[in-house]
Amino acid sequence: MDSLDVYEVLVKQHESMLLAYALGLTHDPALAEEVVQEAFVIGFEKLDKLRNKASFAAWIRTIARNLAFAELRRRNREVPVDEQVLSGMDEVFSRFDAPLSDETWDDRVKVIRECFDHLPEKLRDVTRLHYFEDLSLRQITERLAVSLDAVKKRLERARDAIRDCAEKRLSLENI
Amino acid sequence: MDHAPQSDKRREGRTRALEGLLASQFGRRPTQAGDKAIERLRAMSRASARPAPSLSPPQDSRPKIIAIPYWSWMALAAAVALMSGGLAYWGYTLWGTPAMAILESAPPGLIISREGVHLTPQIGMRIEEGDALLADAKSETDATLRFSRQDVTVHIRPGASLQLSEANGFPSIQVLRGRLEVDASGLRPGQYLELGTLQAQARAAGGRFSLAAKLTSTWLEVFEGSVELRRTSDPDAIRVEAQCYAVAALGLVLTPHSLDERWQTPYSVARPSPKPSNPP
């Protein structure tokens, strides 16, 4: 088994996490996939610089973050560089970095799914259309026959509700 | 200056994280980004394999030289060298199969790898199917390959990496990274040259063009003639005409643009996005 075979195991363990992180940064599924792919390639090339193998998750997220920012700047799009915003993202992801011995990624993030399932129906619908079916806000207004303002408000309430639920479940509220 | 409280910013960060988790979890195909990364790393590993130990034969297995006048040997060697050099230039050998390409220029730092063995680059050497070339990023000049049977010249820019193969009897170049500049104006009717990257494939039946394999995209610039370009993710192809360029990348519309516009942002969104990009 060569070093690439070993690295492939690390990649498989972390690719879902890294995709979620890249999606949070870019809000662009195609770009997020590219960022994840490039981050893993660069990660292998720089693996000797990683001092503590246990911190691979946080380290590969840093590489992905830098790649995402560079690409967003190149496309003249908003870049979430505020340190506190990034710190907030890291709080959530660091909760998933230390799994129990036989937990899968799905096990660890099921709290998010449960928070989503507890949303009221109207908020759940708009969340599903935006995040799962990649519809734009305008397309959602046409699908649900409601105003753009209503769609924006429902999305904002859904995000707040999931965040509040996840903060309680993940004990983030006191950080 | 942004005076939002720190707690609001951290909440915004948590919200972004949860949005990413939601978007990645539900109703989506499993990501293939990890598999593609490993595939690329394996291709790069094959192209830059370590050199093998010396293959010099032991002293006692060398054949004995027949005792004939020294000047006869020199004349024979000169004649063979002249004939071989001439035939090699045109892509043929005195024995065996014709070379796929000939190395016309070999800048310092150029690496040529054949079946895991590093070869010493020399001008005029045969480059065969399966050979991989890596041009040193710090080099100040290009490496040059000449495909004699097709009358095609390929300039390999510093930092570029490629592997040669053959498709349907015609040369095919897999560009792993970096930029190539190609003069395919010598191709005869019915001949073509194929180039591939991770994002795209290009097919030229002539002309002059450049192809660059970047981190997340492939850039094709056509100076003369026309080149067919398609993304590996879908079967549709476009034809990029002279003085035009196109960019192949996930999430971008594959369409040609004028070379005059190439310093502006070329991106257009392939599918709806909440925040469309604004070109400068």
Side-chain angles (χ1 to χ4, degrees):
Chain A
M1 194 181 223
D2 65 8
S3 59
L4 198 45
D5 291 326
V6 174
Y7 188 70
E8 188 172 3
V9 173
L10 272 179
V11 166
K12 284 294 174 201
Q13 285 175 346
H14 293 88
E15 64 179 343
S16 296
M17 176 278 295
L18 202 60
L19 179 65
Y21 187 71
L23 280 165
L25 286 175
T26 64
H27 294 161
D28 183 332
L31 177 56
E33 290 269 351
E34 294 277 6
V35 164
V36 170
Q37 189 192 142
E38 292 308 323
F40 281 131
V41 171
I42 291 172
F44 183 74
E45 291 173 349
K46 295 188 175 178
L47 204 54
D48 56 339
K49 292 188 168 42
L50 174 62
R51 291 194 193 91
N52 178 7
K53 295 285 188 288
S55 60
F56 178 81
W59 180 75
I60 200 76
R61 280 200 295 271
T62 303
I63 294 174
R65 183 167 68 227
N66 293 336
L67 284 168
F69 285 176
E71 194 61 27
L72 287 171
R73 283 193 189 99
R74 203 150 65 93
R75 298 184 187 198
N76 291 320
R77 284 162 57 178
E78 181 199 343
V79 180
V81 288
D82 187 283
E83 285 301 317
Q84 292 299 316
V85 170
L86 297 175
S87 180
M89 290 187 73
D90 285 338
E91 282 169 15
V92 174
F93 279 93
S94 63
R95 280 287 183 272
F96 301 116
D97 280 348
L100 298 177
S101 58
D102 54 356
E103 271 189 338
T104 64
W105 172 252
D106 283 343
D107 290 336
R108 282 179 268 155
V109 300
K110 70 178 181 185
V111 63
I112 310 299
R113 186 186 289 268
E114 286 167 1
C115 290
F116 167 77
D117 288 340
H118 280 111
L119 287 175
E121 186 183 340
K122 281 185 182 172
L123 302 192
R124 213 165 49 234
D125 284 345
V126 77
T127 305
R128 179 177 50 79
L129 291 172
H130 184 61
Y131 290 112
F132 312 161
E133 297 187 26
D134 290 336
L135 296 188
S136 67
L137 299 186
R138 289 225 174 269
Q139 288 172 319
I140 296 173
T141 62
E142 288 162 16
R143 180 79 70 93
L144 299 180
V146 295
S147 69
L148 185 62
D149 270 348
V151 168
K152 286 182 182 175
K153 282 199 172 69
R154 288 184 195 181
L155 264 182
E156 195 180 324
R157 281 169 32 213
R159 280 197 278 256
D160 287 346
I162 291 177
R163 189 195 56 237
D164 292 344
C165 167
E167 280 176 348
K168 288 192 175 64
R169 300 285 298 272
L170 298 173
S171 304
L172 288 169
E173 59 201 330
N174 295 323
I175 293 175
Chain B
M1 190 185 212
D2 190 349
H3 294 285
Q6 286 192 357
S7 58
D8 284 351
K9 294 248 176 224
R10 288 167 89 102
R11 290 197 100 199
E12 182 188 331
R14 290 174 192 169
T15 305
R16 271 186 176 266
L18 293 169
E19 284 178 318
L21 285 161
L22 271 176
S24 73
Q25 281 299 298
F26 307 115
R28 203 174 283 285
R29 290 194 305 274
T31 178
Q32 295 181 321
D35 288 340
K36 287 180 182 172
I38 296 297
E39 190 184 309
R40 276 176 64 189
L41 287 167
R42 291 204 191 281
M44 287 158 69
S45 174
R46 283 193 294 271
S48 60
R50 289 183 181 185
S54 168
L55 298 175
S56 303
Q59 282 282 345
D60 58 3
S61 69
R62 287 185 189 169
K64 288 183 182 173
I65 296 174
I66 299 170
I68 64 172
Y70 173 75
W71 63 266
S72 300
W73 282 110
M74 290 301 291
L76 183 62
V80 168
L82 269 174
M83 199 183 318
S84 300
L87 286 171
Y89 180 80
W90 295 107
Y92 295 95
T93 58
L94 287 173
W95 55 88
T97 57
M100 174 172 261
I102 299 295
L103 187 66
E104 282 204 332
S105 69
L110 177 68
I111 296 174
I112 300 177
S113 176
R114 178 176 298 164
E115 295 178 351
V117 175
H118 275 195
L119 307 178
T120 304
Q122 287 176 348
I123 293 175
M125 75 183 285
R126 294 160 56 104
I127 306 297
E128 306 289 4
E129 182 184 353
D131 288 353
L133 285 81
L134 282 84
D136 188 353
K138 294 183 194 136
S139 170
E140 293 179 352
T141 53
D142 299 346
T144 306
L145 287 182
R146 180 169 167 74
F147 295 80
S148 306
R149 280 177 289 163
Q150 292 81 25
D151 200 10
V152 168
T153 303
V154 175
H155 297 278
I156 306 167
R157 300 308 314 276
S161 162
L162 60 92
Q163 188 166 28
L164 296 191
S165 64
E166 200 168 83
N168 300 320
F170 296 112
S172 175
I173 303 173
Q174 190 66 21
V175 186
L176 301 171
R177 65 165 61 172
R179 180 184 168 107
L180 305 187
E181 291 179 2
V182 181
D183 183 349
S185 50
L187 282 172
R188 294 187 289 280
Q191 289 185 323
Y192 55 86
L193 173 71
E194 280 193 353
L195 297 95
T197 68
L198 277 175
Q199 297 92 13
Q201 283 183 329
R203 178 186 274 209
R208 291 189 311 113
F209 59 94
S210 75
L211 187 88
K214 301 194 177 197
L215 281 182
T216 59
S217 57
T218 294
W219 290 61
L220 171 70
E221 295 176 335
V222 179
F223 309 112
E224 287 176 8
S226 68
V227 178
E228 186 182 283
L229 181 71
R230 67 175 180 86
R231 282 189 296 209
T232 50
S233 54
D234 57 67
D236 294 335
I238 62 167
R239 183 155 290 280
V240 183
E241 302 290 343
Q243 298 304 308
C244 289
Y245 79 98
V247 180
L250 272 183
L252 296 185
V253 174
L254 185 63
T255 186
H257 304 271
S258 167
L259 275 177
D260 291 336
E261 299 169 15
R262 70 182 179 272
W263 300 114
Q264 302 173 21
T265 305
Y267 295 101
S268 54
V269 179
R271 54 182 180 164
S273 167
K275 288 185 182 177
S277 60
N278 294 317

